[in-house]
Amino acid sequence: MSHYAPFLRLLIVFGLLPLAPAFQATAAETLLPEPPQERNARMAWWRDARFGMFIHWGLYAVPAGQWNGKFIPPGNGEWIMNTANIPAKEYELLTKKFNPVKYDPAAWVCLAKAAGAKYLVITSKHHDGFSLFDTKAGDYNVVQATPYGKDILKPLADECRKQGLKFCTYYSIMDWHHPAQFRPNDKTYNPTEIHPERKAEYVAFMKQQLKELLDNTDTEVLWFDGEWPKWWTEEDAVGIYNYLRKLKPSLIINNRLGKARDGVRMEEHAKTDRQYTGDFGTPEQGIPATGLPGVDWESCMTMNDSWGFRKDDHHWKSVATLVRQLIDCASKGGNYLLNVGPTAAGEIPKESAERLEGVGKWMRVNGEAIYGTTASPFKKLPWGRCTQKPGKLYLHVFDWPPNGELHVPGLKNRIENAYLQVCPQKRPLTTSPSKDGVVVKVPSQPPDKIASVVVLEIQGPANVAP
Ligand code: JFZ
């Protein structure tokens, strides 16, 4: 056999030569070019929206944070397969108990709208690998594996379109169930290092599922996550990004498809030669102190301490906190993606629904000061935040001045008109220049304890002393 070896080598080398250009083409794949005007047009609805609702739903809603009678440590309920070290074969049995008969997509969309959200992002497949949609790529999905037996996402997408919400989907690259990333019974499981040699197989699976999501739900955003496997590269991100944008040119895709995750990394990207930053950054459970100048971003946030439903998590944030987080994001030029984790029966927990309604109550009066606004021209304001539109400054006052005088430090513009957003007649408030900015005479009591919006009409762009 050995004396044939050089021969064979030659045969392989020359035999493969005609394929060489094809290999080079994929190896050198770069992001599709996009002129700034086109990018701005593509991002327009997303930038105007400012507020979305996140939904983490999957098999993990069945154990709801509890395994073998014990609650897993506080934190992410959707990680229970990993946290409680549940073998895949055992976890799979949860499919038999996933029968969300109370699932009512119209009601969910109604609730999101009542809160003032303009888009909805739902987990199509989380780290556990279970698909909430009708997929031909395997049978580990809601249609084939559960007593429910119906697609979850398509009716929700249809309902979103009907009620005027943008429908968007989350997709995890890390997958604890797919054979290419499978851990049969391993106690020292490292989800980032399994079967790197089977990557191509997984990428093909992923592409098939992503195309199904586009075809069946016409999803507007792909919100990737779980890009941690060591074998996943920047180049893979570029490949998927181009693949998706060719299928749907208007699609918006986040940064977590590449190796860039939080806001800090996004900022660094401007200074590195990294190619893939995605269309927006995704700081998580936090709002960057000064926003992320020059990049689109969205902070995702839970209302309690878990993304997926946990029956033992009662650590809820107040409506005031949520509204102020939304304002904080808008004032820094970013979006706010607020999470709910429905139960296995298909209900949004009442604690979450109440909070969404609370946010909506504030938004119905003050939405104008959030939607379509851009970041504050002020570095810092002692009493709250500011958003703006051409000719208007919206002052979001968290700490109402006890003396009825709201000082706007550093503002140099002449004030054409001032009024409270809550006042339909726009009854004018008196303003006067001060030695350092402007003073607005306001009522002694705040119209809204969460945040009262004072509108200043100005001519030309905001002029603020540094
Ligand atoms: C991920 C998921 O693991 C989690 O279950 C949830 O879906 C969340 C929205 O995203 O967790 C992350 C992802 C990114 C960071 C931290 C946790 N990050 O960038 O710091």
Side-chain angles (χ1 to χ4, degrees):
M1 175 69 199
S2 70
H3 62 279
Y4 286 114
F7 229 129
L8 273 176
R9 224 173 286 141
L10 277 181
L11 202 92
I12 289 164
V13 167
F14 286 101
L16 287 179
L17 255 189
L19 288 176
F23 278 125
Q24 275 166 15
T26 34
E29 184 163 2
T30 52
L31 282 176
L32 295 172
E34 186 181 35
Q37 325 81 272
E38 280 179 29
R39 182 185 149 74
N40 288 339
R42 182 165 62 90
M43 295 301 292
W45 74 261
W46 189 92
R47 287 175 183 161
D48 281 351
R50 284 290 174 256
F51 181 30
M53 185 167 104
F54 214 170
I55 304 177
H56 274 74
W57 203 27
L59 295 180
Y60 40 80
V62 175
Q66 191 176 35
W67 197 253
N68 287 338
K70 279 213 310 242
F71 284 109
I72 58 171
N76 294 338
E78 72 285 1
W79 273 74
I80 194 164
M81 180 174 173
N82 183 271
T83 317
N85 228 324
I86 307 167
K89 284 284 161 231
E90 222 175 289
Y91 189 88
E92 270 177 17
L93 297 175
L94 292 172
T95 54
K96 303 280 168 271
K97 297 187 188 158
F98 191 77
N99 190 15
V101 289
K102 295 197 175 144
Y103 173 50
D104 181 351
W108 286 16
V109 174
C110 238
L111 187 59
K113 285 207 75 170
K118 296 284 190 190
Y119 59 105
L120 189 151
V121 185
I122 183 167
T123 48
S124 64
K125 186 197 80 167
H126 205 266
H127 307 332
D128 65 3
F130 178 76
S131 299
L132 285 181
F133 58 103
D134 187 10
T135 172
K136 304 289 170 269
D139 54 10
Y140 196 47
N141 62 70
V142 66
V143 181
Q144 285 159 275
T146 74
Y148 186 68
K150 283 173 283 188
D151 189 347
I152 299 274
L153 299 194
K154 173 95 168 76
L156 190 60
D158 291 346
E159 198 54 49
C160 280
R161 230 141 259 134
K162 206 161 130 195
Q163 297 193 42
L165 270 196
K166 299 278 185 186
F167 177 80
C168 315
T169 41
Y170 166 111
Y171 189 92
S172 173
I173 296 166
M174 180 167 74
D175 186 318
W176 303 329
H177 184 272
H178 192 278
Q181 295 185 50
F182 188 54
R183 62 158 183 154
N185 237 327
D186 184 355
K187 292 276 180 221
T188 55
Y189 176 54
N190 180 346
T192 68
E193 284 174 4
I194 302 215
H195 304 318
E197 76 289 353
R198 297 181 71 170
K199 176 167 124 181
E201 179 190 343
Y202 183 72
V203 172
F205 163 82
M206 198 174 150
K207 282 184 161 175
Q208 184 183 347
Q209 287 210 313
L210 294 169
K211 184 166 186 311
E212 288 171 331
L213 280 176
L214 288 179
D215 290 345
N216 301 341
T217 73
D218 201 16
T219 180
E220 309 280 356
V221 172
L222 260 157
W223 208 107
F224 285 98
D225 190 27
E227 78 287 22
W228 306 302
K230 289 227 171 78
W231 41 260
W232 186 254
T233 66
E234 285 273 308
E235 238 176 46
D236 297 323
V238 172
I240 294 287
Y241 185 91
N242 288 347
Y243 170 74
L244 289 171
R245 294 268 332 277
K246 271 180 207 153
L247 290 173
K248 176 167 172 140
S250 66
L251 188 68
I252 295 172
I253 304 168
N254 72 341
N255 60 335
R256 294 188 194 182
L257 172 60
K259 289 293 191 181
R261 295 217 309 271
D262 53 30
V264 179
R265 293 283 288 282
M266 278 297 281
E267 274 170 330
E268 282 172 7
H269 275 197
K271 299 173 216 144
T272 69
D273 54 4
R274 284 263 176 130
Q275 221 204 126
Y276 186 82
T277 57
D279 296 320
F280 64 95
T282 52
E284 172 169 312
Q285 300 283 39
I287 299 165
T290 53
L292 301 177
V295 268
D296 292 293
W297 59 275
E298 169 195 75
S299 279
C300 52
M301 206 79 72
T302 50
M303 290 190 196
N304 55 2
D305 293 331
S306 175
W307 302 92
F309 177 69
R310 280 187 72 148
K311 54 189 166 199
D312 61 331
D313 186 345
H314 309 293
H315 193 220
W316 300 97
K317 296 178 179 98
S318 69
V319 171
T321 298
L322 304 175
V323 168
R324 288 178 179 193
Q325 285 179 339
L326 167 58
I327 296 169
D328 194 22
C329 286
S331 78
K332 293 164 178 172
N335 285 9
Y336 183 58
L337 185 63
L338 182 59
N339 183 72
V340 299
T343 66
E347 289 172 308
I348 292 178
K350 77 166 189 325
E351 291 87 346
S352 303
E354 283 162 11
R355 278 157 184 78
L356 288 169
E357 277 154 14
V359 175
K361 192 170 166 230
W362 187 90
M363 284 295 273
R364 275 193 290 285
V365 173
N366 301 292
E368 192 195 312
I370 299 290
Y371 304 127
T373 59
T374 54
S376 171
F378 301 94
K379 277 215 181 75
K380 216 175 158 65
L381 289 166
W383 35 255
R385 301 286 185 275
C386 176
T387 54
Q388 58 174 327
K389 278 182 196 167
K392 273 184 186 170
L393 293 176
Y394 299 98
L395 312 176
H396 301 251
V397 187
F398 298 170
D399 302 313
W400 198 249
N403 65 355
E405 288 187 1
L406 184 71
H407 184 222
V408 191
L411 185 60
K412 300 264 182 273
N413 298 69
R414 205 170 75 88
I415 309 300
E416 306 285 323
N417 194 14
Y419 53 90
L420 294 169
Q421 177 65 29
V422 73
C423 176
Q425 296 81 23
K426 302 190 177 178
R427 207 160 57 80
L429 300 171
T430 310
T431 63
S432 52
S434 71
K435 71 173 194 318
D436 161 37
V438 171
V439 171
V440 188
K441 277 251 183 249
V442 293
S444 59
Q445 291 302 313
D448 193 312
K449 286 208 186 66
I450 296 176
S452 306
V453 175
V454 175
V455 187
L456 301 182
E457 291 182 353
I458 55 172
Q459 289 247 307
N463 183 2
V464 176

